Amino acid sequence: MRKSWQNKMKITAEQVFAGEEKVIARAISLIENERQQVFPLLKELYSRSELAYLLGVTGPPGSGKSTLVAKIVSGWVREGNKVAVIAIDPTSEFSGGALLGDRIRMDDISTNKDVFIRSMATRGYLGGLNPAIFDTVVVLSAAGYKKIVIETVGVGQNEIDIVSLADTTLVVTVPEAGDEVQAFKAGLMEAGDIFVLNKADHPEVNKMELVLKQMLRLGNTAGEQAENRWEVPIVKTIATTEKGIAELNKTIAEHQEFLTEKGENQKAPGKIISNHLIHLLEESLKRKYLDPLKESPAFAKLLQEIAAKKTDPYSAMEELMANFKERLG
Ligand SMILES: Nc1nc2c(ncn2[C@@H]2O[C@H](COP(=O)(O)OP(=O)(O)O)[C@@H](O)[C@H]2O)c(=O)[nH]1
Ligand SMILES: [Mg+2]
């Protein structure tokens, strides 16, 4: 009961601009659960604010991403920034909650008044980034978080999409991750702006650094001309003891500067907005046409006809598409 009462309360743009954490948390819950209701707010926030700088952090589970993020964020907060962390949680499909480990890892920053941490599920969006993540970035940016970190797991399509959203992408790897590094080749190799070789306290670290260097050299020979290009660095860290974190933060700042100088505060804003618009349309078409269609007698009849081999799924699809065309005009 209480929850639905809370959700019904209207949030104003002014409240979000004022940056009150409770309001922001409620806005994000609405974004996740009652999207329609929050679109008027998002319209206003989007047109009245600039998107924050986004740092994407990706890499295999257990490589130390959350530990690193906590240290990076501590550094930013010491410099006077308000920072938000979105932990993308692929496991919460069933649990619906944050990864316990991440909570603990980020404990020392989570109580800081200048830090906002939220975990979000990717459920239901296997084919791309959950549009709720972009919407959350809009809210957090409007609320005055000038730097936002998105932590994600693995090297799947979701990660590549998150990379397309981020200004700077850190790819985290560890000395013992031989096979996973091979998997990087598939996509993230090109997407990483900075490689972090974490767990540098491991004896195999130098060997792994060589392997990474070789792979990066291969990647760097292709593409743009050298003077215009960001040379992807490898930064060695021991996240647990903070060794290398100062250098990592410096390297991140350099990349942000590089983007600003190139006039690209966002990597590819056109593509990001285009993806988001398509996602919004997909959501809306599903809600408006596909969900009701599934409940309709015409649909049930077609299913029966397919079962009886009077028609087939392909012809049925064409027939339905023709109907849509009529209805969409
Ligand atoms: N030895 C060592 N352990 C680390 C280092 N960084 C993180 N860890 C540990 O690795 C485990 C996984 O870290 P976590 O940050 O949760 O990884 P994530 O799954 O990538 O977010 C934790 O037990 C950390 O304490 C490091 O540099 N060296
Ligand atoms: Mg983590």
Side-chain angles (χ1 to χ4, degrees):
M1 280 312 277
R2 187 158 171 266
K3 200 163 179 225
S4 73
W5 169 78
Q6 276 187 332
N7 284 344
K8 290 268 142 41
M9 277 188 23
K10 197 168 148 46
I11 299 169
T12 65
E14 308 314 324
Q15 283 177 308
V16 176
F17 287 131
E20 204 194 314
E21 283 207 15
K22 265 189 202 152
V23 171
I24 298 158
R26 187 143 41 84
I28 298 171
S29 297
L30 285 176
I31 283 171
E32 288 182 306
N33 302 312
E34 297 179 50
R35 302 183 52 65
Q36 297 311 298
Q37 205 184 313
V38 86
F39 284 166
L41 176 66
L42 289 171
K43 286 179 196 174
E44 198 175 345
L45 296 178
Y46 185 85
S47 52
R48 289 177 58 192
S49 55
E50 293 302 320
L51 290 185
Y53 168 79
L54 279 186
L55 177 74
V57 179
T58 188
S63 54
K65 296 179 297 300
S66 297
T67 317
L68 276 167
V69 167
K71 308 292 173 168
I72 293 168
V73 168
S74 298
W76 283 351
V77 168
R78 276 198 298 273
E79 290 166 11
N81 294 290
K82 266 180 82 178
V83 186
V85 179
I86 303 173
I88 306 292
D89 181 354
T91 62
S92 61
E93 187 167 352
F94 302 109
S95 70
L99 291 172
L100 183 63
D102 284 354
R103 273 280 159 83
I104 294 164
R105 233 79 73 202
M106 296 199 194
D107 223 24
D108 45 341
I109 57 166
S110 64
T111 51
N112 191 301
K113 66 168 177 36
D114 292 323
V115 180
F116 182 90
I117 301 178
R118 177 77 176 213
S119 94
M120 295 182 78
T122 51
R123 63 174 169 240
Y125 284 95
L126 289 175
L129 189 64
N130 187 335
I133 295 166
F134 183 95
D135 297 335
T136 298
V137 168
V138 171
V139 166
L140 291 169
S141 301
Y145 294 94
K146 295 289 177 241
K147 292 179 193 278
I148 300 175
V149 184
I150 304 188
E151 178 192 333
T152 178
V153 179
V155 289
Q157 185 56 43
N158 259 310
E159 283 63 46
I160 309 235
D161 283 344
I162 283 157
V163 162
S164 78
L165 193 64
D167 294 295
T168 302
T169 299
L170 301 190
V171 176
V172 181
T173 183
V174 286
E176 61 264 62
D179 291 348
E180 273 126 1
V181 165
Q182 292 306 315
F184 280 165
K185 279 186 186 165
L188 272 186
M189 208 62 207
E190 308 86 62
D193 298 306
I194 299 168
F195 276 77
V196 182
L197 184 45
N198 190 41
K199 305 201 182 179
D201 47 332
H202 193 281
E204 299 272 289
V205 65
N206 290 328
K207 200 174 133 201
M208 184 63 172
E209 190 181 12
L210 271 176
V211 172
L212 270 179
K213 269 191 181 149
Q214 255 171 356
M215 288 173 63
L216 285 173
R217 207 173 302 132
L218 288 176
N220 276 339
T221 50
E224 276 176 72
Q225 276 166 359
E227 70 258 32
N228 249 335
R229 199 176 55 202
W230 171 257
E231 288 282 337
V232 177
I234 301 169
V235 183
K236 283 189 278 186
T237 55
I238 305 173
T240 37
T241 66
E242 250 173 84
K243 197 165 186 296
I245 299 297
E247 197 205 331
L248 178 58
N249 272 359
K250 192 168 144 264
T251 310
I252 294 169
E254 281 165 7
H255 187 256
Q256 190 178 1
E257 225 164 88
F258 167 82
L259 293 177
T260 311
E261 273 165 24
K262 272 185 71 181
E264 287 185 33
N265 284 328
Q266 255 118 59
K267 228 188 234 171
K271 189 167 169 253
I272 293 165
I273 303 298
S274 149
N275 283 342
H276 192 52
L277 188 51
I278 292 292
H279 283 145
L280 291 175
L281 279 167
E282 279 170 358
E283 275 188 336
S284 150
L285 287 169
K286 183 174 177 300
R287 192 184 54 253
K288 204 160 172 204
Y289 296 107
L290 296 182
D291 291 345
L293 174 72
K294 259 179 19 193
E295 308 301 324
S296 73
F299 193 72
K301 187 167 158 265
L302 271 176
L303 288 183
Q304 276 172 2
E305 286 175 11
I306 293 169
K309 297 250 171 168
K310 282 188 200 147
T311 185
D312 59 85
Y314 314 98
S315 311
M317 177 273 288
E318 283 167 4
E319 192 179 318
L320 291 168
M321 282 304 291
N323 286 345
F324 274 136
K325 250 191 185 157
E326 251 168 53
R327 290 170 65 181
L328 291 171

